[in-house]
């Protein structure tokens, strides 16, 4: 199929891009990597009247590891045009927040990652995508700019529904911030798909934090493909303040199964998705806890 007719803008500055967005209003759509948008256009599942192609806008392809300061915590700030592959291959970004690389390795295929953008994936707000779940479980943020103002949107408020973000008409997501890995912490990511690179039937991103005595102090898991938006569960109370080797990770998995309410679709039934949540939760929590122990030792 072919897309519906649309106007096309290729601004070269942020001001020009914001002006075009303001003029287009609700009829405008931003084109960055296009790996999610173009298929929707071709299948006529989306029919914007105007595309604003930001690929020529200077200064949006940044990737920065930010140290902790009085202004805010340490983390990885990703600009709107930073491609998946660049973030995945960055050793500095992986050291600051390994969950980014762990999740990005599951995003589609290399040819898609070469063009697709991290911030574009967040703005697309697909509940089956990996990066929204990562941003959510880490408590990250998205910076949005319009011709009138700039604001920072917490992940908990950014994902409004399937393919629906909190971006307002005329706003452009210019960067995303992923907080750095806390001290004494480990991360892990796993998903199940029919084929590698397909959308996951279920997936889990986890962060486990230990104290200096190697006892668990925090367990958080973010889920994809099981709810209308990324789902985050605090599982700390299910395992107790104990060393990882004596934690009841199966109890945490059972709790997660009880607290998801997935829907069936052509890819998987609801019961199967719930089962995957349990299996994957136990797996990633054990892996994340092991990573935390190795980091401390």
């Amino acid at each position: 199929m072919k897309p519906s007719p649309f106007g096309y803008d290729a601004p070269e500055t942020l001001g020009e891009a914001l002006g075009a967005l303001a003029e287009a209003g609700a009829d405008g759509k931003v084109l960055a990597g296009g790996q999610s948008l173009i298929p929707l256009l071709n299948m006529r599942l989306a029919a914007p009247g105007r595309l604003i192609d930001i690929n020529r806008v200077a200064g949006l392809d940044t990737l920065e590891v930010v140290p902790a300061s009085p202004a805010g915590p340490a983390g990885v700030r990703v600009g709107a045009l930073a491609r998946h592959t660049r973030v995945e291959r960055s050793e500095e970004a992986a050291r600051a927040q390994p969950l980014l690389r762990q999740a990005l390795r599951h995003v589609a295929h290399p040819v898609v990652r070469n063009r697709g953008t991290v911030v574009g994936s967040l703005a697309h707000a697909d509940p089956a995508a990996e990066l929204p779940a990562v941003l959510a479980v880490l408590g990250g943020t998205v910076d949005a700019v319009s011709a009138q103002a700039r604001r920072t949107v917490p992940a908990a408020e950014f994902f409004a529904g399937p393919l629906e973000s909190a971006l307002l008409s005329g706003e452009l997501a210019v960067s995303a911030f992923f907080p750095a890995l806390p001290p004494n912490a480990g991360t892990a990511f796993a998903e199940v798909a029919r084929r590698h690179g397909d959308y996951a039937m279920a997936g889990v991103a986890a962060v486990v934090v230990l104290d200096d005595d190697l006892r668990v102090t925090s367990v958080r898991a973010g889920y994809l493909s099981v709810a209308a938006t990324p789902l985050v569960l605090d599982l700390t109370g299910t395992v107790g303040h104990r060393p990882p080797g004596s934690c009841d990770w199966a109890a945490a998995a059972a709790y997660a199964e009880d607290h998801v309410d997935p829907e069936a679709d052509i890819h998987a039934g609801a019961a199967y998705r719930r089962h995957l949540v349990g299996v994957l939760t136990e797996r990633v929590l054990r892996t994340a806890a092991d990573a935390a122990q190795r980091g401390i030792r």
Side-chain angles (χ1 to χ4, degrees):
M1 296 182 67
K2 301 295 183 181
S4 301
F6 56 82
Y8 177 79
D9 290 281
E12 296 185 357
T13 68
L14 180 58
E16 291 176 356
L18 296 177
L21 272 173
E23 184 179 328
D27 207 27
K29 194 74 175 176
V30 174
L31 174 66
Q35 300 304 291
S36 298
L37 177 59
I38 297 301
L40 291 180
L41 295 177
N42 286 339
M43 291 185 287
R44 300 204 174 190
L45 297 175
R50 193 166 170 184
L51 283 189
I52 294 89
D53 184 345
I54 64 171
N55 281 279
R56 294 173 178 82
V57 177
L60 293 183
D61 61 346
T62 54
L63 174 60
E64 180 185 10
V65 175
V66 182
S69 72
V76 181
R77 187 171 300 281
V78 183
L81 290 178
R83 313 293 171 180
H84 292 312
T85 298
R86 182 181 171 201
V87 180
E88 177 190 357
R89 292 178 178 175
S90 170
E91 295 296 336
E92 287 187 352
R95 282 194 295 270
Q97 183 43 262
L99 191 53
L100 270 173
R101 174 178 285 177
Q102 292 163 355
L104 280 165
R105 287 173 171 167
H106 292 268
V107 174
H109 304 282
V111 67
V112 172
R113 296 199 294 273
N114 285 342
R115 188 65 186 170
T117 62
V118 168
V119 176
S121 177
L122 299 174
H124 188 57
D126 191 333
E130 291 83 2
L131 291 172
V134 170
L135 189 78
V137 76
L138 295 178
T141 58
V142 175
D143 281 340
V145 177
S146 70
Q148 292 77 36
R150 183 185 188 105
R151 65 188 180 117
T152 298
V153 186
E157 301 172 13
F158 187 76
F159 303 105
L163 306 183
E164 182 183 1
S165 76
L167 290 172
L168 304 175
S169 177
E171 278 190 325
L172 173 65
V174 292
S175 67
F177 180 75
F178 298 85
L181 189 68
N184 298 355
T187 63
F189 184 94
E191 66 178 39
V192 173
R194 292 186 180 274
R195 297 173 302 180
H196 180 75
D198 285 359
Y199 280 113
M201 293 178 281
V204 188
V207 181
V208 175
V209 184
L210 310 179
D211 61 19
D212 292 335
D213 296 321
L214 299 183
R215 294 179 181 273
V216 174
T217 60
S218 175
V219 179
R220 284 169 56 85
Y223 296 87
L224 56 132
S225 286
V226 298
T229 59
L231 174 67
V232 177
L233 295 178
D234 187 337
L235 304 173
T236 310
T238 66
V239 298
H241 186 58
R242 294 190 291 270
S246 54
C247 284
D248 190 350
W249 302 115
Y255 178 92
E257 281 194 57
D258 289 341
H259 286 77
V260 297
D261 187 22
E263 294 185 357
D265 59 22
I266 61 173
H267 303 293
Y272 183 55
R273 278 197 162 96
R274 189 175 293 106
H275 169 71
L276 289 178
V277 163
V279 172
L280 293 176
T281 296
E282 183 170 358
R283 182 183 304 171
V284 298
L285 294 185
R286 290 183 183 277
T287 302
D290 286 345
Q293 286 182 298
R294 291 197 303 273
I296 294 173
R297 291 169 178 164

